[in-house]
Structure formats: C-alpha cells, structure tokens
Amino acid sequence: MLEVVDTIEALRGRVADHRRSTGSIGFVPTMGALHAGHASLIERARRKSGIVVVSIFVNPLQFDRADDLERYPRPLDADVELCRRLGVALVFAPSVAEMYPVKPEFLVQVGRLANHLCGKHRPGHFEGVATVVLKLFEIVRPDEAYFGEKDAQQLAVVRRMVTDFNVPVRIVGVPTVREPDGLAMSSRNVRLNAAERPLATSLYTALRKVAADVQAGATSAPAITGQEATLIPADERLRLEDLELVDPDDFQPVETVTDPVIAAGALWVGNTRLIDNVRCTPRARS
Ligand code: PAJ
C-alpha cells in the first residue's frame, strides 16, 4: 500500500517501520512530472531494494531562472498514481517550507566537477542539487539511491559527494530512457510545441555521430565536435549551447581521446533547454 507523506517527521517514522520489517531502503529522488525515465529508476529499485521511497520536490535552490522554476510541471496526483502502479511504498512530497523553513546558511560547494557544461551555464545549479540530495539522504537514510545517466554530470557530482562526505549509501546509475525517435525523456519535453518537437532529436543525432567518430578512431575532440555540431539544423529556434567530450569521472574537457569519454550536449529548442549525453568508447588499439 502506497503512502504519501509531506513532513520529514512522518517520513522518518514510516521509513523506520519499513526498515524493521522489510530490510533495505531504495530511494529515487525526483522533481515529479514522472515519465518512463523515472519509471525505469523505480523499477530498478523495486528489483534490488526491499522497499522504494520516491521523493517529489521541485527544489528552488537548483534553478537559476525564475521562469524555469515557475513553469516546471507539477502533476502530483498523476505522479502518485504512477508510483502506486509501480509498487512504490512511500512518496515523500514536502513543501518548500518543510525543506527550507529558513534560508539555508550552509550549502554543499562543488569543486571542479561543476566547472563545465551545466555547471558553467547554470551558476549554483549543482550546489543546489548537491545540497538537496544530501538533505534527502539525511532524511531518508537509504541503503541504495538511483540516478539516471541522462543527467550524467549530476550522477558524477552525487557519486563524488557521497565519497567525499562518507555518506553510507550505494549510488546506482540507470541508463537513459528514450522516445522511439531517440529524444531522451525529460519532464521539460512537454514544453516543446508541435513545431519544436521534431527539431529536438538533432542533439541525440549529433551525439551518436560523435560516438561513431570516436569508435572509428578519431581522436581530436575539437575536430569531432566541430564537425558534428553541423548536424544541428540551421533554424532560428535552435541554439547549441554545448557539445563537448569530457572525462566520465571529473567532467573535465578532453582534448585527445584515448580512453572512454562522455559526449555531452545542451540544446536550446525555443525557450526550452534540453540536455543529453552518450558514452563513447575509442577503437581498441592494436
Ligand atoms: P528529475 O529531473 O526529476 O530526475 C529525477 C531522476 O530521474 C534523475 O536521477 C534523472 O537523471 C532521472 N531521469 C530523468 N530523465 C531520465 C531518462 N530519460 N532516463 C533515465 N533517467 C532519467 O534530477 C533531478 O530531478 C533533480 O536534480 C534531483 C536529483 C531530484 C534533485 O533535486
């Protein structure tokens, strides 16, 4: 039976009850507007963990633009219904006042991992993510927590944070779930209008071509990304913000590809910023 709680105290009480009866606690933090990508995290958690806790909280601390925060979809009833169908035991859906009763004086500062890509273009974003994830870990105290590879930089930040702070949780990365045409599922996709939607797939097309180039033996990152950026159609509604090859662990740009790298990109489609990434493995050297 699914339970929905909105206070930290109630959540802690219910988690403690479950821990006594069912063993391990799996945790899937989300901002709601759940789709098949979130569902795959929950299904993975259902297979591995005793019970699954899902948090639904649109975290103001990680938004750099007020309009993005305001426009973020919040279909709570549908989200709870999906969680029920997926066998989630507990949904934690706190208010902003419950999570931040006063303006926080302490934030998790992120080092080099936040210097590039989303960290560069969205100042304070990863500090906001790391801070809320650490708070949620303290509230839920999960044994395992599940994060999507869709947000590869976020996954790297969370992995490193639990290492640096000795947080006793196992982080599990889950592959990106895509629409049939390749577009990575995202809560922001609903903002794309009918004219914008077909344009949005061009980022994944470019990223896949980057991966194919690396696989075929190309090694110069600027040459590869410069070439494949041209796959983004010249359209006034599209603006490629990033197309970079980065190290999978520290997210620093790579100039010459010798080991596996992540090709990461951000594309503005109208007023919506979409991100995606693909892992690239160089051809084995003989
Ligand atoms: P949100 O964007 O709701 O994503 C919640 C989780 O779902 C993240 O781990 C994200 O990587 C994963 N996810 C999103 N789209 C996916 C897809 N297409 N395939 C697989 N996984 C996908 O990420 C956040 O929320 C927040 O930053 C949060 C971690 C909850 C902190 O506020």
Side-chain angles (χ1 to χ4, degrees), residues 6 13 28 31 38 41 45 63 89 92 97 113 122 137 154 157 160 180 196 217 245 247 259 286:
D6 59 7
V28 181
M31 297 202 298
H38 298 109
L41 268 61
F63 284 77
F92 178 48
L113 266 168
R122 303 182 64 190
F137 283 171
Q154 168 171 283
V157 164
R160 187 58 200 260
E196 291 167 345
L245 292 176
D247 180 280
D259 297 305
S286 47

Side-chain angles (χ1 to χ4, degrees), residues 222-235:
I224 298 168
T225 54
Q227 169 68 35
E228 306 315 352
T230 62
L231 289 171
I232 307 295
D235 186 298

Side-chain angles (χ1 to χ4, degrees), residues 6-7 17 29 47 54 59 70 74 87 92 125 128 130 139 156 160 202 210 212 244 256 261 274:
D6 59 7
T7 69
D17 296 342
R47 285 199 297 276
V54 172
N59 172 36
E70 243 162 65
R74 293 167 170 84
F92 178 48
H125 170 68
I139 293 166
R160 187 58 200 260
S202 57
V210 168
E244 272 197 70
T256 307
V261 289
L274 301 176

Side-chain angles (χ1 to χ4, degrees), residues 71 96 107 118 151 160 191 216 224 238-239 244 258-259:
R71 294 196 303 150
V96 173
L107 298 176
C118 292
D151 301 286
R160 187 58 200 260
R191 291 186 193 161
I224 298 168
L238 296 179
R239 185 167 68 79
E244 272 197 70
T258 50
D259 297 305

Side-chain angles (χ1 to χ4, degrees), residues 86-266:
L86 293 171
V88 171
L90 265 173
V91 168
F92 178 48
S95 65
V96 173
E98 178 71 7
M99 288 297 281
Y100 303 111
V102 291
K103 187 172 173 292
E105 291 291 334
F106 290 83
L107 298 176
V108 178
Q109 195 182 322
V110 186
R112 283 188 319 152
L113 266 168
N115 286 351
H116 285 279
L117 300 166
C118 292
K120 187 170 78 189
H121 296 292
R122 303 182 64 190
H125 170 68
F126 284 119
E127 280 72 19
V129 169
T131 300
V132 81
V133 170
L134 188 59
K135 279 169 72 77
L136 289 166
F137 283 171
E138 282 298 316
I139 293 166
V140 179
R141 298 273 171 103
D143 298 287
E144 296 96 26
Y146 299 82
F147 289 84
E149 290 172 1
K150 150 87 174 19
D151 301 286
Q153 194 171 11
Q154 168 171 283
L155 176 57
V157 164
V158 170
R159 280 192 197 285
R160 187 58 200 260
M161 177 178 76
V162 305
T163 302
D164 283 4
F165 287 144
N166 307 95
V167 184
V169 58
R170 206 163 62 80
I171 304 300
V172 182
V174 180
T176 303
V177 177
R178 300 179 179 280
E179 300 283 359
D181 67 359
L183 179 67
M185 294 216 175
S186 161
S187 305
R188 290 186 173 89
N189 290 354
V190 295
R191 291 186 193 161
L192 301 170
N193 65 33
E196 291 167 345
R197 174 62 185 79
L199 298 169
T201 56
S202 57
L203 177 59
Y204 184 50
T205 305
L207 289 169
R208 259 190 328 194
K209 188 64 172 44
V210 168
D213 294 346
V214 170
Q215 168 72 37
T219 57
S220 162
I224 298 168
T225 54
Q227 169 68 35
E228 306 315 352
T230 62
L231 289 171
I232 307 295
D235 186 298
E236 59 184 11
R237 289 163 291 192
L238 296 179
R239 185 167 68 79
L240 185 63
E241 192 171 70
D242 283 312
L243 185 62
E244 272 197 70
L245 292 176
V246 295
D247 180 280
D249 296 319
D250 65 11
F251 268 75
Q252 298 305 293
V254 168
E255 281 286 307
T256 307
V257 183
T258 50
D259 297 305
V261 289
I262 286 178

